[in-house]
Structure formats: C-alpha cells, structure tokens
Amino acid sequence: QVHLVESGGGLVQPGDSLRLSCRVSGTIFRGTTVGWYRQAPGNQREMVARMGSDGTTIYADSVKGRFFISRDNVRTIVWLQMNGLKPEDTAVYMCGVEGYRGRDWRGRGTQVTVSS
C-alpha cells in the first residue's frame, strides 16, 4: 500500500508563493514517477507537474515558469514550489505516484486558495 500525505496549502493573495510537500511511503520511491495534480470545483483533475525517476520534468502550460517540482529520494518527499500564484490556481492539490504495481496512487490533497 502506498501512502501519500500532502501539506502546505493555505489561503494566499495573488502574487504570493507557497511550497507544498508530500511524504510518500510504501513504495520504492527512487524508481517511481511522481507528480502533482489539482482539481478545482466543477473541473476535471489536471496534471500540474511530473518528475520521472531520472529527474525529467513536465509541466502544464498554465504553470510553466511559475511552479517547480522537486524530490528527495532519501527522505521520500516531493515538493511543489508555486510562485506568482493566480486566482485560477485555486484548487485541491494532490501528489501522486504513477504506475507502481499496475496503478496510480494519490493522496487526499491540500487546499490552495488564491484570493485578494
């Protein structure tokens, strides 16, 4: 069983920064692809950022240059640094492990609200 626990969300103003953290357990973390996803009310879940086991990253166009994903394979933590936050970034953010034991795994998420 893979467990993922996110933290770091909150209420911020436009232009502010936040760093989300995700602690992962129950998997051979070093060899997995990890990612961050978000879902706003009424919208489908979307991929925000993804990092392969080799460090290769992919970002959604809407966050390129503002959000940055990183990982610590020793402490099995994934971070999402979010800069220049916009109201449209408001969503529940979830971290995930992809393709481990034949399925994807996600945490429950942390709420990020960007509002003035």
Side-chain angles (χ1 to χ4, degrees):
Q1 189 78 3
V2 179
H3 292 279
L4 304 101
V5 180
E6 303 93 340
S7 61
L11 172 63
V12 297
Q13 294 187 337
D16 284 353
S17 297
L18 273 179
R19 189 174 82 154
L20 305 182
S21 299
C22 175
R23 289 192 172 274
V24 183
S25 61
T27 179
I28 304 173
F29 184 82
R30 185 180 300 273
T32 59
T33 293
V34 295
W36 285 94
Y37 318 85
R38 68 185 180 187
Q39 186 165 18
N43 290 355
Q44 290 187 335
R45 184 175 60 234
E46 62 172 339
M47 188 277 293
V48 175
R50 178 185 285 131
M51 177 177 276
S53 58
D54 62 355
T56 302
T57 56
I58 298 174
Y59 295 94
D61 288 343
S62 58
V63 307
K64 279 181 182 177
R66 298 190 297 124
F67 290 14
F68 301 94
I69 186 172
S70 58
R71 63 193 293 171
D72 185 322
N73 288 334
V74 174
R75 292 188 287 168
T76 65
I77 300 175
V78 187
W79 294 281
L80 183 68
Q81 178 67 43
M82 305 187 295
N83 302 323
L85 283 161
K86 305 175 181 180
E88 52 264 41
D89 294 320
T90 295
V92 175
Y93 284 72
M94 297 154 279
C95 68
V97 171
E98 297 183 1
Y100 181 71
R101 292 186 176 178
R103 58 163 286 188
D104 297 337
W105 306 77
R106 290 189 183 84
R108 292 188 175 184
T110 183
Q111 177 70 45
V112 173
T113 303
V114 185
S115 175
S116 56

